[in-house]
Amino acid sequence: MPTFVRSFGQSSMANKKILFISQEIIPYLPDSEMARVGRYLPQGIQDRGKEIRTFMPRYGCINERRNQLHEVIRLSGMNLIINDTDHPLIIKVASIQAARMQVYFIDNEDYFQRKYVVSDESGSSFPDNDERAIFFARGVFETVKKLRWSPDLIYCQGWITALVPLYLKKEYREDPMFARTKVVFSAYNDRFDGCLDKSFMRKVVSENIKAKDVAVLKEPTHTNVNKLAFDYSDGIILHSRDVDSELREHAAKTKKPVAEYSTPEEYVDHYSTFFDRMLEEA
């Protein structure tokens, strides 16, 4: 567990709003490197004077009673159209009392009410993981709009969040809620085998997103999905020690600020400084 140091009032960056979008967060999912960062990085940034909101998918393996999840009726009720089909958006929330932190959950009966995260009990990836990523990313944006909470910076981690930078820069670029928002994408060695659905690119294309904008998704491998996130991010974090070498090279080619892996004892300070750098350039 990282050591947190309070530093209220010590930075001109205090009171900035940071939105955390995570593929995994403990205690809702088993302990992992990503899930620990999903849990402790928001707390550490909050303790440094920032205002935060945190989102993750409401996977079916999450025990709602034990974790005291409850639906937020005023935020639920919207339908998101994916591949010409309506999918109801359900928002749930729970609190991590020790961190004074709420976690919002994006839920939908078709996409998230199954007992596993991104693959079934045999280890095979769910065939609709591409649509789950679309629904999750769009669901976060629509919920933040309903909250009337305009983030200064978005931090997203895990491949299921990889569409967030694209949506910020293309789909929501005219929305005043996100007009000045920066985005940082954190890549992990969370590989999936093979490709997502071959029609992923077509499903992402919209009035504001053209096929050329997402051409890398013609072959929707883990590497290419992450490359797409890099291309539309303002900053990149290579969190795992063994991030794909092709991704490391691509990050360098973007000429964008890149933060390297940091130890569990140091990453909160390291990423806090990186976030402040992004905010100063806003």
Side-chain angles (χ1 to χ4, degrees), residues 11-29:
S11 169
S12 61
M13 295 294 108
N15 301 319
K16 292 288 188 178
K17 298 177 180 178
I18 301 186
L19 172 62
F20 292 88
I21 308 175
S22 297
Q23 185 168 304
E24 303 176 13
I25 301 174
I26 55 173
Y28 307 111
L29 289 182

Side-chain angles (χ1 to χ4, degrees), residues 193-210:
D193 293 330
C195 293
L196 298 178
D197 188 88
K198 290 291 187 180
S199 60
F200 188 22
M201 186 177 81
R202 175 184 59 78
K203 296 172 188 175
V204 173
V205 169
S206 67
E207 182 179 349
N208 297 315
I209 300 172
K210 310 305 179 187

Side-chain angles (χ1 to χ4, degrees), residues 212-230:
K212 64 181 178 61
D213 298 327
V214 291
V216 70
L217 293 183
K218 288 179 181 177
E219 191 73 16
T221 61
H222 178 271
T223 297
N224 286 343
V225 168
N226 278 265
K227 282 183 178 180
L228 179 75
F230 287 10

